[in-house]
Amino acid sequence: MYQDDGCGPYGHTGGAHYGGNAYHGGAHHGGGGAHYGGGGAGATYGGTHYTGGGYDHGGPAGGIAPHGGTYYGGGAYSGAHYGDGGGNDLEDSCINGCVAAGCAESTPAVMTYVGPGTGEYVVVTNYKYVGGGAGNLSMVGRKTVYWGRICLALVALVAGIALLSLLWPVLSPTSTTSTTIAQAAMLPATMAPTAPLTTWTPSTTTPKPEPTGECTFWGDPHIRTFDGARPSFYGEGEFYIVKSNKVVIQGRYMGTKYTAGLAATNKIAVGGEFLNGHVIEVGCLEDGDITVDGKPVLQEFPSSFRLGTLGTITYGSEGKLVDEATDHWPKKIVQMHLPLGVHLTVLRWSNYVDLRLIMQRQPDQDGSCGNFDSDPVNDSTEAIFKRVGARVPDKALLFSHSAKVVMSDVEEKLLQLCPESQYMKAEVECPRELTSVHHNRASETLRMSCMLDVCFGSNEHTLQMAKKLGLTDVGVDP
């Protein structure tokens, strides 16, 4: 009924189903193997219940249970209630199971207590062999196990994998195909973020365009800047209408017999980076041809000219007037549609031109049309001179040549009427603001022309004032 190899369903060596060779080796509840297994290797529960060694003391418990292991293993509770072997339940179970399965080997035997009536030796001065079953000691080999701790490692590995699977939804980042980029902190499942998640969304809005404004010139000359100021420039010479890194427009202001020598806009030149180095010149009818890079264009009326891919120039009678007083004269109007939204309308009269300039604000612009900063106060003649100079320097001149500057008798008389404080200021400022002008142009006449602007630049009706003062009998503002 029971096997003798110690590895059967109930075992034989060291105990049986109900202890010590099935009711042998002692009484029903004692003698080397008791009610629930002896100290052998095949007990059902291990240890002993009512053993021959006293209550709750038994053999070394363990071995394999009905299917290659033990229910409680070893001597759980360190040799007390359910056995005698001591040690760790789980590890001893693994060890005993491994021994039975052949994954461990026995080392040389050492003297071990095996219980009354089951050993071959007794304790005397030294160990004495007394025969099988006559002693209480026996030679039992210690088991060297290679797989016991591996069992524990495997259990820990399985537990770790299970824990990782629980935490994986928290630890894994969420991918997205939207244009929003999000970064979340990697936190354990039991922790909450200490700060809200931050997101960055690329801007899909285009930069706000620069404002578009209008600057106009008419008469002797009357000017309205982009900001609505009304500076006047009565002296002759070449001036900046618009000065910026990309767009450059210059004006030549010259006196006429109809203005008693006070300057009117005689000609304009357009150039700069936005035209890739090309220069367009348009003057009054008496001045002659319209030119591009010094070559005549638009010689027929009406006609048009294409400036490569940069824009077009047309010449005809269609266009809005700047000065309604000129409505009865034949219209000769040049219109330029150029890059960066620059649109110029030049109305050519016999000895002067009217001008309308519509453009988007340039970041660094200044000149006779003002600095386009929405503040008309800083667009006075003096303020403009301080920022860009009183005249265009020779090296920056767009015109094919500079004009000869003269002072009329009326202009000289007006200069003598300049208030003393303003006159002294003009004497200091004009030489400084003309230092970049070539010495042939920086003559005494040019200096006086500059001083006239400083003295009367804030008076847009200087010609009418001169007539009232009896300085001239010429007509009215053209």
Side-chain angles (χ1 to χ4, degrees):
M1 178 177 179
Y2 305 113
Q3 297 180 6
D4 291 336
D5 57 5
C7 293
Y10 298 99
H12 175 78
T13 304
H17 183 55
Y18 287 98
N21 291 320
Y23 296 93
H24 295 283
H28 179 63
H29 289 82
H35 186 54
Y36 285 94
T44 305
Y45 291 91
T48 180
H49 193 63
Y50 294 95
T51 68
Y55 182 76
D56 286 345
H57 292 280
I64 60 173
H67 295 286
T70 178
Y71 285 123
Y72 292 93
Y77 300 95
S78 302
H81 192 56
Y82 285 105
D84 188 42
N88 181 280
D89 291 353
L90 181 59
E91 182 173 351
D92 286 346
S93 297
C94 289
I95 291 171
N96 291 327
C98 285
V99 170
C103 62
E105 64 181 15
S106 296
T107 59
V110 296
M111 192 64 67
T112 306
Y113 179 80
V114 295
T118 60
E120 296 85 11
Y121 297 87
V122 295
V123 178
V124 290
T125 304
N126 52 23
Y127 297 108
K128 178 182 179 181
Y129 181 78
V130 294
N136 59 359
L137 300 175
S138 182
M139 298 295 291
V140 177
R142 295 187 63 185
K143 305 173 183 63
T144 301
V145 180
Y146 297 105
W147 294 94
R149 289 178 175 82
I150 295 177
C151 290
L152 291 177
L154 290 175
V155 171
L157 178 61
V158 171
I161 293 174
L163 179 61
L164 182 61
S165 67
L166 293 175
L167 296 178
W168 183 254
V170 177
L171 297 177
S172 61
T174 301
S175 62
T176 176
T177 58
S178 71
T179 58
T180 299
I181 301 172
Q183 267 189 321
M186 305 279 280
L187 298 173
T190 58
M191 296 179 62
T194 58
L197 298 179
T198 58
T199 60
W200 172 74
T201 303
S203 175
T204 57
T205 60
T206 56
K208 184 179 179 180
E210 293 289 343
T212 298
E214 178 179 291
C215 177
T216 54
F217 285 60
W218 74 99
D220 62 345
H222 300 297
I223 300 175
R224 180 179 288 108
T225 70
F226 288 112
D227 296 330
R230 302 291 295 272
S232 293
F233 303 89
Y234 296 114
E236 292 186 340
E238 287 81 24
F239 298 72
Y240 280 112
I241 295 176
V242 172
K243 178 186 179 184
S244 71
N245 285 337
K246 293 184 177 181
V247 180
V248 179
I249 303 173
Q250 297 174 3
R252 176 177 292 156
Y253 307 157
M254 302 295 291
T256 72
K257 64 181 180 179
Y258 302 105
T259 59
L262 296 176
T265 308
N266 177 265
K267 192 173 187 177
I268 69 164
V270 185
E273 181 182 316
F274 87 127
L275 288 185
N276 294 341
H278 296 292
V279 176
I280 304 167
E281 294 184 60
V282 180
C284 63
L285 295 175
E286 293 178 358
D287 183 74
D289 295 328
I290 301 167
T291 65
V292 174
D293 299 331
K295 297 179 180 179
V297 296
L298 303 174
Q299 292 183 298
E300 296 182 1
F301 184 86
S303 60
S304 64
F305 177 82
R306 188 166 189 85
L307 190 62
T309 60
L310 297 174
T312 59
I313 309 172
T314 61
Y315 189 29
S317 59
E318 299 298 324
K320 182 180 178 181
L321 296 173
V322 176
D323 181 6
E324 294 298 331
T326 60
D327 183 62
H328 60 285
W329 295 343
K331 300 175 183 63
K332 300 290 182 73
I333 302 174
V334 177
Q335 299 202 55
M336 307 180 205
H337 298 273
L338 303 175
L340 301 181
V342 176
H343 180 204
L344 290 102
T345 301
V346 183
L347 297 101
R348 305 179 74 197
W349 310 118
S350 60
N351 57 5
Y352 75 100
V353 300
D354 289 338
L355 171 69
R356 174 181 286 108
L357 168 61
I358 299 174
M359 63 179 288
Q360 285 186 326
R361 179 174 63 193
Q362 294 298 304
D364 55 346
Q365 79 175 68
D366 213 324
S368 296
C369 280
N371 56 11
F372 205 169
D373 67 348
S374 303
D375 181 8
V377 174
N378 58 24
D379 282 349
S380 67
T381 303
E382 285 187 70
I384 293 171
F385 280 0
K386 288 178 180 178
R387 294 194 299 261
V388 300
R391 302 294 186 271
V392 176
D394 289 336
K395 63 180 181 180
L397 199 65
L398 293 178
F399 293 102
S400 55
H401 65 277
S402 61
K404 181 181 178 181
V405 176
V406 298
M407 286 283 289
S408 68
D409 292 339
V410 173
E411 289 178 314
E412 290 180 353
K413 292 175 182 178
L414 283 169
L415 194 55
Q416 294 174 4
L417 297 174
C418 179
E420 184 178 358
S421 61
Q422 199 71 6
Y423 188 91
M424 292 177 63
K425 181 189 294 186
E427 281 191 315
V428 173
E429 292 179 355
C430 283
R432 181 173 60 243
E433 291 162 359
L434 293 171
T435 54
S436 59
V437 179
H438 192 276
H439 70 276
N440 289 334
R441 294 173 58 208
S443 61
E444 179 64 16
T445 304
L446 184 60
R447 186 180 69 84
M448 293 174 64
S449 176
C450 172
M451 291 177 65
L452 186 68
D453 290 328
V454 174
C455 287
F456 297 99
S458 60
N459 183 355
E460 61 178 310
H461 298 293
T462 300
L463 180 58
Q464 292 181 4
M465 183 189 74
K467 186 176 180 181
K468 289 179 181 179
L469 292 174
L471 301 180
T472 180
D473 57 359
V474 297
V476 296
D477 295 351

